[in-house]
Amino acid sequence: KIKEDENTEFRLLRCYLKQNDIPQPLSQKVTQFLQHQYSLRQEARSADMEVPVLTLLSKQLQGELQFARYHKALCQLQVVHDLDQMRDLQVLQVMQRMSRTAISNTVVASKDVIFLAGSEAKAAYFTQSGSLTYFHDDGQQTVDCNSWIAEVCIWTPWVYMGDLVAEDVSRLAILDVDEFCETLGAYWMTQNAARRYAEDFLENMRKQTTWTDIVKENFDEDDSIEAG
């Protein structure tokens, strides 16, 4: 079915190019570009396809599945990494519930705008695949895969300080800040861990010479949070 859809779309493209008398060199250039973009889009969508039978899972199993699915991304947040290392059953259940309610996937196309400077920050973003560019007052930078953007909005009220734009078809994990904080705040151990981490994170942020949505962390191993 997927291959049939692809053949149909590119057959229509060929007809469009022919009917509009598009020169052969340009037609070939357009086709090659779209074949690349189509391949990237299908790859990204395959990781987020809907599987109806999964709705039959219990909420606990859904949480376990989602935490496993987003484990790599979530553990790039130092606070989640440290909580995961506690090996505490109640903490684990909190994180599984958070994975079910606070994080989701999206696929963006080339040149899509993810956020603009000055808008209220209600979500942090994790780059799973593709290429993003972050534009700010001091210039622009390519955003590495497997990194969080705008984590700061988890720990303090924030407006985005720059623009984030997709350079290619990209797959992102989106962390809803309100859901994340509400879930961690429901259990004393995760609440205390998050509070202490927020204090350290914001102290580190105040040392930055320039504020952007990409904060460089400088935590030592001894700074990892512990229960207590």
Side-chain angles (χ1 to χ4, degrees), residues 110-228:
S110 175
K111 304 308 177 186
D112 276 2
V113 176
I114 290 88
F115 61 69
L116 292 172
S119 55
E120 185 179 7
K122 287 293 188 180
Y125 298 86
F126 183 83
T127 316
Q128 296 176 298
S129 66
S131 177
L132 306 176
T133 300
Y134 178 69
F135 299 88
H136 51 95
D137 288 343
D138 291 336
Q140 65 185 67
Q141 66 186 97
T142 300
V143 179
D144 296 332
C145 275
N146 301 323
S147 60
W148 282 96
I149 306 105
E151 180 191 349
V152 61
C153 72
I154 300 173
W155 310 117
T156 189
W158 189 254
V159 295
Y160 296 119
M161 304 296 289
D163 304 334
L164 186 63
V165 180
E167 294 299 330
D168 214 333
V169 175
S170 303
R171 186 161 59 95
L172 305 175
I174 306 174
L175 188 68
D176 184 288
V177 169
D178 291 338
E179 288 286 351
F180 180 85
C181 293
E182 181 179 346
T183 306
L184 288 190
Y187 177 50
W188 71 268
M189 188 179 292
T190 51
Q191 182 186 57
N192 287 345
R195 175 183 54 78
R196 290 194 302 275
Y197 178 78
E199 291 171 354
D200 289 341
F201 184 95
L202 295 176
E203 179 63 28
N204 177 67
M205 197 184 91
R206 282 190 282 269
K207 298 175 184 176
Q208 306 295 318
T209 56
T210 302
W211 283 10
T212 73
D213 299 294
I214 303 175
V215 177
K216 301 296 183 182
E217 296 183 34
N218 295 307
F219 295 110
D220 297 326
E221 291 183 3
D222 292 341
D223 291 331
S224 295
I225 56 178
E226 296 179 356

